[in-house]
Amino acid sequence: MEYHIFDLDGTLIDTSISHLLALRAVQKEFILNKNVKLGGDLKKNIYHLVQNKIDFSEAVRIYQRYFIQNIDKAVPLFSEVFIKNLRNTILLTGRDYVTTQALLNKFFPNYFRFIFTSDDCDKENPEQIQNVLRHIIRINTYDTVQYWGDSIVDRRLAAKIGAIYNDRSI
């Protein structure tokens, strides 16, 4: 059986503008550190922005609200038909559940058999991901797994779990 694992940001959907606008809104709302260069890991961006001036969880909730308000700025990078026609699709993202669901509802509703967000598991922990694939999804060594990603984290994870890596970096 063949499985397709997809990363979300930068692979399935370009969320860079929505992401940047949401981070800037958090920064502006709280008049936070304006010298922070934004990009890359979401949690690190928010952490560097707030620098203990406000509760981190509150900053994440505010980020989510602004991100969803700007979701129309995101751009799908795969055709809906391509994803729809695949069997055994898995979404594995470092993004939180709330914004993941908002993106999927807008661009790829009900196309993924399994969805794992940062609320479920850590993409940078290959052993945890292997356990998810083996025990929840029941992938075995006879299955073919294709991993669609855009980052070094995705590439490393694909290698650790023995998946064929498809580089989607822009």
Side-chain angles (χ1 to χ4, degrees), residues 48-114:
H48 289 300
L49 275 176
V50 300
Q51 296 179 340
N52 299 323
K53 293 179 184 172
I54 61 170
D55 178 62
F56 181 77
S57 300
E58 178 63 14
V60 169
R61 280 190 293 281
I62 292 164
Y63 167 85
Q64 290 170 336
R65 185 179 77 229
Y66 282 113
F67 182 88
I68 291 168
Q69 285 174 5
N70 288 292
I71 206 167
D72 60 315
K73 308 285 190 294
V75 178
L77 300 173
F78 272 91
S79 78
E80 201 173 334
V81 173
F82 177 80
I83 301 298
K84 193 176 190 176
N85 287 325
L86 292 176
R87 301 280 182 254
N88 300 313
T89 52
I90 302 161
L91 182 74
L92 178 61
T93 180
R95 182 170 281 287
D96 63 275
Y97 178 81
V98 172
T99 55
T100 296
Q101 281 306 125
L103 285 164
L104 290 178
N105 289 341
K106 179 159 179 64
F107 297 105
F108 301 106
N110 305 313
Y111 293 169
F112 288 90
R113 186 169 170 203
F114 298 98

Side-chain angles (χ1 to χ4, degrees), residues 11-38:
T11 302
L12 270 180
I13 303 169
D14 179 358
T15 58
S16 56
I17 293 173
S18 306
H19 175 68
L20 185 61
L21 290 171
L23 287 171
R24 291 286 183 216
V26 170
Q27 189 177 38
K28 185 178 177 183
E29 186 163 321
F30 294 99
I31 311 167
L32 300 171
N33 187 353
K34 294 188 187 232
N35 297 322
V36 173
K37 288 191 175 190
L38 302 175

Side-chain angles (χ1 to χ4, degrees), residues 112-142:
F112 288 90
R113 186 169 170 203
F114 298 98
I115 298 169
F116 298 98
T117 69
S118 63
D119 299 330
D120 303 310
C121 54
D122 179 4
K123 269 179 70 172
E124 296 194 44
N125 183 338
E127 292 76 27
Q128 189 180 46
I129 303 304
Q130 283 174 318
N131 285 334
V132 164
L133 295 176
R134 200 172 16 241
H135 299 294
I136 296 176
I137 303 174
R138 305 217 184 278
I139 292 178
N140 63 54
T141 55
Y142 303 106

